[in-house]
C-alpha cells in the first residue's frame, strides 16, 4: 500500500484500498482487435464451439454433483470430497498456497481473454479490462459495453459467455496431454485412462512393521507388497484413504510375497495422533510407482510437476464449475440469455431463482457431505 501510494499508481489505472487492489486498462480493446486480426478464422470456430461446450460443461457439472451425492450413500469409497479453496482457511500447506496463487492469475488471464476476444469478434465494445486482488483472492475481468451487449443477438451473447469456461477446459486438456508423461498425473486420472497411459504398480511396498501391531501379529513382513485391504485395491498410498479402517476391527489384507498372493486377517490399531482412525501397523513406501507409457519427457523437479498438476486442476474445475447456473457465474448468465424474452420478465426471474436455489443446494450438499465424512479438512 505504501509503495503503491509512493509510486502514484492511481494515475496508471490502479484503484487502491487497504484490503484490495484493482487495475483497469482502457486499451484492452485495441490489443484484442490486433490479436483478432491474426486469428479471426480460428476464433470464429472457437466461438461456435463455446456454445455447444457451454451446454456440455453445465451438464457434466450437474452429473458430477448428483452422482457424487449418490456415491456417498451407495458407493462411499467413490465419493469425492469437495471444499472451497481459500488460502489460509482450507489451503494451509505453504506449497499448496503457492501453487494456487501462481495458477489463479494464469487461469484468469485465459478465461477473461477468451471473453474479450469473442466479444470483439461479435463487435461488442470492451470498455476496460484488468484484474483485482481482494486480500488473498484474485479476480480478472473484461467489462463489455452493457448497452451493446444487451442489443447483441442471443447467439452472440452465448458465444461470449461460453468462451471463458471453454478456454479453461481446452487449456486443461492441452496441459493434460503433456502431463500424461508425468508420474504425478496418475494421482488424478480415472480408469480406463489410468491403465491405458500408465504401467500400474503391483501395490504399495511395506518398508517396516510396527512392533506389537496387528500387522506384526498377523505375520506381515517388510518387502511385502499390499495389493488390497477389505477388497479395496491398493495401487498407491492415496488408496489407503479409501479403506476407512476402524480400530479394533479385523481387516482382510492381501499381499504379494515372492510372486504369491497371501491373505492375512489383521487387527486394526488406533492411530497415536487420532484414536478414531485405524492403522494396520506398517511403515509404507509413499512414493508413486506409476510409470507413464508416454515417457518422452523427463520430469526431474517435483515442484514443477506439482505446480502443473495444480494448474491443470484449477483450470479444469474453474471452467466446469463456472458453467453452473449461479448468479455470479457464467452459467447463470448463459441460462438467463437462453430463456430471456421467451417468457415474461417475472417468469424469467422466478425460473432463474428456482434454478439458483437448486444449484446452490446441490453444490452445498456436496460440501456438507464432505465435512460429514472427514470433518473440517484442509489441503
Amino acid at each position: 500500500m505504501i509503495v503503491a501510494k509512493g509510486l502514484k499508481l492511481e494515475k496508471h489505472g490502479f484503484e487502491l484500498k487497504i484490503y484490495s487492489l484493482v487495475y483497469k486498462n482502457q486499451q484492452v480493446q485495441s490489443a484484442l482487435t490486433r490479436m483478432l486480426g491474426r486469428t479471426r478464422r480460428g476464433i470464429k470456430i472457437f466461438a461456435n464451439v463455446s456454445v455447444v461446450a457451454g451446454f456440455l460443461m453445465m451438464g457434466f457439472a450437474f452429473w458430477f454433483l448428483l452422482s457424487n451425492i449418490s456415491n456417498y450413500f451407495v458407493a462411499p469409497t467413490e465419493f469425492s470430497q469437495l471444499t472451497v479453496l481459500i488460502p489460509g482457511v482450507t489451503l494451509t500447506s505453504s506449497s499448496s498456497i503457492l501453487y494456487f496463487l501462481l495458477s489463479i492469475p494464469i487461469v484468469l488471464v485465459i478465461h477473461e481473454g477468451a471473453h474479450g476476444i469473442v466479444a470483439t469478434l461479435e463487435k461488442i465494445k470492451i470498455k476496460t479490462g484488468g484484474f483485482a486482488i481482494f486480500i488473498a483472492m484474485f479476480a480478472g475481468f473484461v467489462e463489455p459495453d452493457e448497452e451493446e451487449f444487451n442489443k447483441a443477438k442471443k447467439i452472440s451473447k452465448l458465444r461470449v459467455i461460453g468462451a471463458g469456461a471453454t478456454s479453461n477446459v481446452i487449456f486443461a486438456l492441452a496441459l493434460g496431454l503433456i502431463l500424461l508423461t508425468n508420474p504425478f498425473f496418475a494421482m488424478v486420472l480415472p480408469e480406463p485412462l489410468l491403465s491405458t497411459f500408465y504401467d500400474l504398480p503391483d501395490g504399495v511396498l511395506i518398508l517396516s512393521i510396527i512392533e506389537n501391531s496387528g500387522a506384526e501379529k498377523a505375520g506381515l513382513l517388510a518387502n511385502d507388497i499390499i495389493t488390497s485391504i477389505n477388497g479395496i485395491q491398493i495401487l498407491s498410498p492415496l488408496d489407503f484413504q479409501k479403506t476407512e479402517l476402524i480400530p479394533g476391527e479385523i481387516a482382510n489384507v492381501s499381499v504379494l510375497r515372492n510372486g504369491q498372493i497371501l491373505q492375512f486377517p489383521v487387527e486394526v490399531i488406533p492411530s497415536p495422533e487420532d484414536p478414531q482412525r485405524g492403522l494396520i501397523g506398517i511403515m509404507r513406501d509413499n512414493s508413486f510407482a506409476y510409470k507413464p507409457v508416454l515417457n518422452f519427457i523427463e520430469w526431474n523437479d517435483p515442484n514443477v510437476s506439482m505446480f502443473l498438476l495444480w494448474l491443470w486442476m484449477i483450470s479444469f474445475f474453474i471452467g466446469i464449475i463456472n458453467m453452473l447456473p449461479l448468479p455470479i457465474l457464467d452459467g447463470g448468465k448463459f441460462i438467463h440469455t437462453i430463456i430471456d424474452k421467451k417468457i415474461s420478465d417475472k417468469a424469467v426471474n422466478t425460473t432463474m431463482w428456482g434454478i439458483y436455489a437448486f444449484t446452490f443446494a446441490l453444490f452445498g450438499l456436496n460440501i456438507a457431505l464432505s465435512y460429514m465424512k472427514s470433518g473440517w479438512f484442509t489441503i
Side-chain angles (χ1 to χ4, degrees), residues 227-248:
T227 58
S228 72
I229 297 177
N230 289 338
I232 297 171
Q233 188 176 26
I234 303 295
L235 292 176
S236 79
L238 293 177
D239 292 328
F240 281 84
Q241 299 174 12
K242 302 176 183 178
T243 58
E244 299 181 354
L245 299 175
I246 300 172

Side-chain angles (χ1 to χ4, degrees), residues 4 26 34 76 105-106 112 116 123 128 166-167 180 188 207 224 242 267 301-302 358:
Q26 297 181 349
R34 288 196 300 272
I106 297 172
E112 297 301 330
K123 296 181 171 56
T128 62
T166 302
S167 67
L180 284 174
V188 296
L207 298 178
D224 283 348
K242 302 176 183 178
E267 183 181 355
D301 190 338
F358 173 76

Side-chain angles (χ1 to χ4, degrees), residues 57-69 362:
M57 288 185 289
M58 189 180 297
F60 178 81
F62 275 120
W63 169 82
F64 173 79
L65 294 175
L66 285 167
S67 63
N68 200 42
I69 291 173
L362 186 63

